[in-house]
Amino acid sequence: AANSFNILWTNTETLRQSVYNSLPQPQVKRRYQDEDPLGKAVADVLTRSLEFSQDTYDFDAVIKGDVLSMLLPGRAVSRVRYVPDIRQIGGEDSEQDDDSQESESYEEIEWEQVICERVQWDDFRILSAAKTWDEVGAIAFRHRFTREDCCEKFGDEIGDAIPLDAVEDEDVKKSKDAQDLFKTAEVWEIWDKDEKQVIWICPTYAKPCKTQGDPMGLSGFFPI
């Protein structure tokens, strides 16, 4: 019709601007306003650290994506990720006191940061019946891993054994030549709050791909 217009887009854009329109400004204060120079200095350091963290990646785009997901499908999820850059030190022959001997190998963190990462609304599950968030015992995130991703995450033995069958395109699914180029594995990352562990499961692989203890030590356990 000549006078038709997209009311969904209009309503969504109006609500989106009212829900979120600019980056939050970090502010850390002392709980008690005592004469405490050290406490004030620590609060200033934390405030600047948060400001720097926002600037190291596109935090604004993550929040805008969450708002849009909340307004359209009705579910918005972001997760916290700890991203360290680790390098291997030592492990080769080195001269110490004019004697050549093998040096000890150890890992050193060159850089580390914490980022927020948006989760696609249909790649998230709540795995326990609960009326409130405090009652939730387990959640899960879905990943689509390539063969390289599987080997990097779970080691070559398990990574090579995981079927790459998470493909909807029938032509790709039947093609052997497309095995490593287009096929992926559906892997679920399950956070079990009761047992304080994370379990990685592929529905078409006979056993858990990986089980690890509490990886982040958050007070609420879940990274969301």
Side-chain angles (χ1 to χ4, degrees), residues 17-196:
Q17 294 298 328
S18 63
V19 172
Y20 174 81
N21 52 42
S22 62
L23 275 171
Q25 298 300 314
Q27 189 177 54
V28 180
K29 292 184 176 181
R30 293 165 293 170
R31 174 174 293 182
Y32 308 108
Q33 300 299 319
D34 299 331
E35 289 295 331
D36 181 10
L38 179 59
K40 184 180 184 303
V42 171
D44 290 342
V45 169
L46 291 174
T47 298
R48 295 177 183 182
S49 297
L50 291 171
E51 291 173 348
F52 179 77
S53 295
Q54 285 187 349
D55 294 338
T56 55
Y57 70 103
D58 200 350
F59 179 74
D60 187 58
V62 174
I63 303 303
K64 286 180 177 178
D66 278 343
V67 171
L68 196 60
S69 294
M70 183 270 292
L71 294 174
L72 291 175
R75 167 179 277 174
V77 180
S78 277
R79 63 178 299 174
V80 178
R81 283 195 182 277
Y82 169 65
V83 185
D85 184 9
I86 301 174
R87 67 169 181 169
Q88 195 75 21
I89 304 295
E92 298 178 355
D93 289 344
S94 60
E95 292 186 0
Q96 298 179 355
D97 299 329
D98 297 330
D99 292 328
S100 179
Q101 57 183 344
E102 186 177 344
S103 63
E104 293 184 1
S105 176
Y106 64 95
E107 293 181 339
E108 181 179 84
I109 296 178
E110 286 192 317
W111 171 260
E112 57 184 344
Q113 66 178 140
V114 175
I115 64 173
C116 288
E117 178 183 272
R118 195 171 73 86
V119 179
Q120 176 73 12
W121 67 271
D122 56 351
D123 286 338
F124 175 75
R125 298 287 189 275
I126 295 177
L127 303 181
S128 54
K131 293 183 178 180
T132 65
W133 181 247
D134 291 339
E135 297 176 358
V136 174
I139 61 174
F141 305 96
R142 176 168 56 186
H143 304 275
R144 293 171 181 85
F145 284 165
T146 63
R147 178 68 68 204
E148 183 179 355
D149 294 333
C150 291
C151 291
E152 181 179 352
K153 190 70 181 178
F154 311 122
D156 292 340
E157 182 179 353
I158 295 177
D160 288 334
I162 295 175
L164 300 181
D165 53 5
V167 180
E168 296 181 358
D169 191 312
E170 290 298 325
D171 292 334
V172 174
K173 188 179 293 187
K174 295 176 182 178
S175 173
K176 294 182 179 179
D177 296 333
Q179 178 76 13
D180 292 327
L181 291 177
F182 302 105
K183 291 187 176 182
T184 58
E186 178 180 309
V187 179
W188 286 90
E189 177 188 353
I190 301 173
W191 286 64
D192 184 350
K193 185 178 181 180
D194 296 332
E195 299 296 331
K196 291 291 190 296

Side-chain angles (χ1 to χ4, degrees), residues 2-21:
N3 297 324
S4 65
F5 67 98
N6 190 332
I7 193 170
L8 173 63
W9 184 88
T10 303
N11 288 344
T12 301
E13 287 300 297
T14 302
L15 291 170
R16 186 173 64 84
Q17 294 298 328
S18 63
V19 172
Y20 174 81
N21 52 42

